[in-house]
Amino acid sequence: PADPVGLVYWATMLDLAGGDLSKIIEAFANSEEAKTLYGDITADNIENVIKAIYNAAFNRDPDPEGLAYYKQGFIDGKFTPATIMLNILDG
């Protein structure tokens, strides 16, 4: 669960963005906490990041097709780590 101060901060940012998560998702994904958790995200470790997102959200690994889809989308520049996170949560 979020710490109370962080929860208030991100809820305020979301309110300021009119509820549009896409306006804050990059800042969230590039926060110091995210950098501590995932480090520099590259094609070499994106698979582990995708698995971590699935496990945090659903307590399971992604299916092989979903993993391949997001990994290739990242490699092709279609997705950022933040948009992968948002797509998974929206899915």
Side-chain angles (χ1 to χ4, degrees):
D3 65 86
V5 173
L7 180 60
V8 169
Y9 174 81
W10 288 111
T12 301
M13 293 294 100
L14 185 59
D15 284 344
L16 291 173
D20 185 357
L21 261 180
S22 68
K23 295 190 178 206
I24 65 166
I25 195 69
E26 289 293 337
F28 188 82
N30 291 303
S31 68
E32 287 302 314
E33 184 175 3
K35 289 178 184 176
T36 299
L37 284 171
Y38 303 114
D40 187 28
I41 300 172
T42 67
D44 292 331
N45 67 359
I46 190 62
E47 202 170 295
N48 291 333
V49 173
I50 296 165
K51 288 178 182 179
I53 293 168
Y54 265 85
N55 276 286
F58 307 118
N59 200 30
R60 67 172 178 83
D61 281 342
D63 58 81
E65 295 82 9
L67 179 60
Y69 172 77
Y70 286 117
K71 180 179 179 181
Q72 193 58 52
F74 176 80
I75 291 168
D76 293 343
K78 180 178 176 184
F79 300 125
T80 66
T83 59
I84 290 171
M85 182 185 345
L86 187 55
N87 287 343
I88 291 169
L89 293 174
D90 282 347

